[in-house]
Each structure stands twice: as C-alpha cells, then as structure tokens.
C-alpha cells in the first residue's frame, strides 16, 4: 500500500546518505526531516496530545533520526495566529507540543538529543512543529592500540564494537534487510573495522 511505498522511498533516501561530509549530512538530514513532517502533526485542540492519525508521521520522523543517531536536532513548536497575537499562553502551548513530539519519538526508540522550543504564533507559520539539524554529537574516539599485547588489543576492539552496537538494529518482523534506521550504527561499526584492517572478526546473528 501507500505506507509501504513511502517506507521504501525513505529507505532509498536514507541509504543514499552514506559517506557524506558533515555539511552534506546536515543537508540530507534536514531534507528528510522536512519531507517526514510535510503532512504536519495534528494535536487535540488547545492541548499537547498528538492525535492517532499523526502516528505515521511520528514513525517516519523516528526512522529518519535513527539513521542519524549522532546528531542533535531542534524541535520547534508553533501555534495558529498572527505574529502580533503571540502571548505567554501560546508560547507555552507550542513548547509542550514540541516536547510531546520528543516524547513520542523517544517511545519509538530515538536516542538523539532533541532540543525543544516554543515560538507561539510569533513567526506566523500556523500550527506546526519543525525540526532541523543542530550539530553532530562527538564521534566515537578510536584509540591507538599499537602498544598493547594481542589480548589487550582484542579486548579493546571488542569493547569498541560493543559500544558501537549498544543501540541495536530494529529489523522489521520476519525480514532480513537492514532498515534505514540502522545507517548511523553501520557507519560507526564501519569506522571501527576500518581502523583495524589486519584483524579478523566473527559476525553472529
């Protein structure tokens, strides 16, 4: 159906972001977030409760963020009204709606740092939530292991791989292909493996 087609499209977009510079990665993340939020989020009137009909949008945003797990993103809420009508109540409502989206994403397993803000109707954008990339978190530091014994080196590499694989991969039920949400994890594991080209590794499922 349409949902499957959209998931397939997102998968292609996600995997096409590999081997990018930081700026290219930022542009790709922002593009994917904008597309995921195109349909908007619907909330209960004057509340921060996300309607059930917005669940597919939340799921798509979560999938995008999981593909870029090292990035901090901003989440900005906006309410209906003209810029001159913005007030403390609208500012608070827009903020708690942004926080509601962050909570919904965390329930989907998103581990990115999400910084929330509320602008009320000061920007005149109508009721919406916008997200964009801020900065990548610190990359995993791969130490120089050249002075260690073979056993110490093996233990250190295994520790690095365990750290890289902490987030896990959310495979679709009864499917074997890697989802776009695994892109960030694969990048990190690839960095570890490339740093030790002389070492053999055992991969177990």
């Amino acid at each position: 159906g349409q949902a499957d087609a959209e998931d397939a499209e997102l998968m292609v977009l996600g995997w096409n972001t590999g081997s990018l510079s930081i700026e290219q990665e930022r542009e790709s993340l922002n593009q994917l977030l904008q597309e995921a939020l195109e349909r908007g989020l619907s909330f209960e009137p004057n509340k921060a409760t996300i309607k059930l009909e917005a669940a597919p949008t939340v799921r798509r945003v979560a999938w995008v963020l999981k593909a870029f797990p090292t990035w901090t993103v901003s989440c900005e809420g906006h309410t209906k009204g003209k810029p001159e009508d913005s007030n403390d109540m609208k500012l608070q409502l827009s903020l708690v709606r942004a926080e509601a989206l962050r909570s919904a994403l965390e329930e989907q397993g998103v581990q990115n740092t999400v910084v929330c803000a509320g602008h009320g109707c000061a920007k005149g954008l109508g009721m919406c939530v916008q997200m964009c990339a801020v900065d990548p978190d610190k990359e995993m530091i791969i130490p120089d292991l050249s002075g260690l014994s073979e056993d110490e080196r093996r233990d250190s590499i295994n520790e690095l791989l365990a750290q890289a694989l902490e987030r896990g991969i959310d495979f679709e039920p009864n499917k074997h292909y890697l989802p776009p949400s695994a892109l960030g994890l694969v990048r990190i594991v690839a960095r570890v493996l490339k740093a030790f080209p002389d070492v053999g590794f055992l991969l177990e499922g």
Side-chain angles (χ1 to χ4, degrees), residues 25-33 64-65 68 71 73 133:
E25 197 167 308
R26 184 195 307 273
E27 291 175 8
S28 295
L29 174 53
N30 284 335
Q31 177 189 345
L32 290 168
L33 285 172
V64 170
L65 293 179
F68 297 85
W71 280 83
V73 296

Side-chain angles (χ1 to χ4, degrees), residues 182-196:
L183 179 59
L185 183 149
V186 170
R187 285 176 179 155
I188 297 171
V189 172
R191 285 189 62 231
V192 175
L193 298 184
K194 287 179 180 178
F196 307 102

Side-chain angles (χ1 to χ4, degrees), residues 33-204:
L33 285 172
Q34 182 179 348
E35 291 174 355
L37 287 165
E38 273 180 341
R39 297 178 183 177
L41 283 174
S42 52
F43 293 87
E44 296 293 339
N46 300 315
K47 294 182 180 180
T49 305
I50 300 174
K51 291 184 177 180
L52 289 176
E53 63 198 47
T57 296
V58 173
R59 182 174 61 85
R60 286 172 64 81
V61 173
W63 206 352
V64 170
L65 293 179
K66 287 179 182 179
F68 297 85
T70 63
W71 280 83
T72 294
V73 296
S74 67
C75 182
E76 300 182 347
H78 302 270
T79 59
K80 294 179 180 177
K82 299 177 181 179
E84 59 268 24
D85 295 330
S86 194
N87 54 39
D88 289 344
M89 187 177 297
K90 289 181 181 293
L91 288 170
Q92 180 63 20
L93 178 60
S94 60
L95 173 60
V96 295
R97 283 177 170 174
E99 291 173 341
L101 175 56
R102 177 174 62 188
S103 296
L105 293 171
E106 290 173 349
E107 289 176 1
Q108 294 281 328
V110 168
Q111 297 183 21
N112 302 67
T113 299
V114 179
V115 181
C116 293
H119 296 287
C121 55
K123 296 189 177 183
L125 299 178
M127 187 184 74
C128 66
V129 177
Q130 295 182 322
M131 300 187 77
C132 67
V134 178
D135 283 303
D137 294 338
K138 239 179 196 180
E139 287 283 342
M140 175 186 286
I141 297 175
I142 299 179
D144 180 7
L145 306 181
S146 55
L148 300 182
S149 68
E150 184 176 341
D151 287 343
E152 290 173 330
R153 192 164 180 256
R154 183 178 62 246
D155 290 342
S156 295
I157 294 172
N158 284 337
E159 186 176 335
L160 286 171
L161 286 172
Q163 183 182 344
L165 290 165
E166 271 181 348
R167 297 172 187 264
I169 297 177
D170 295 327
F171 285 98
E172 292 293 320
N174 301 316
K175 293 183 180 179
H176 66 277
Y177 59 76
L178 287 170
S181 60
L183 179 59
L185 183 149
V186 170
R187 285 176 179 155
I188 297 171
V189 172
R191 285 189 62 231
V192 175
L193 298 184
K194 287 179 180 178
F196 307 102
D198 60 319
V199 177
F201 296 91
L202 174 65
L203 180 63
E204 295 181 339

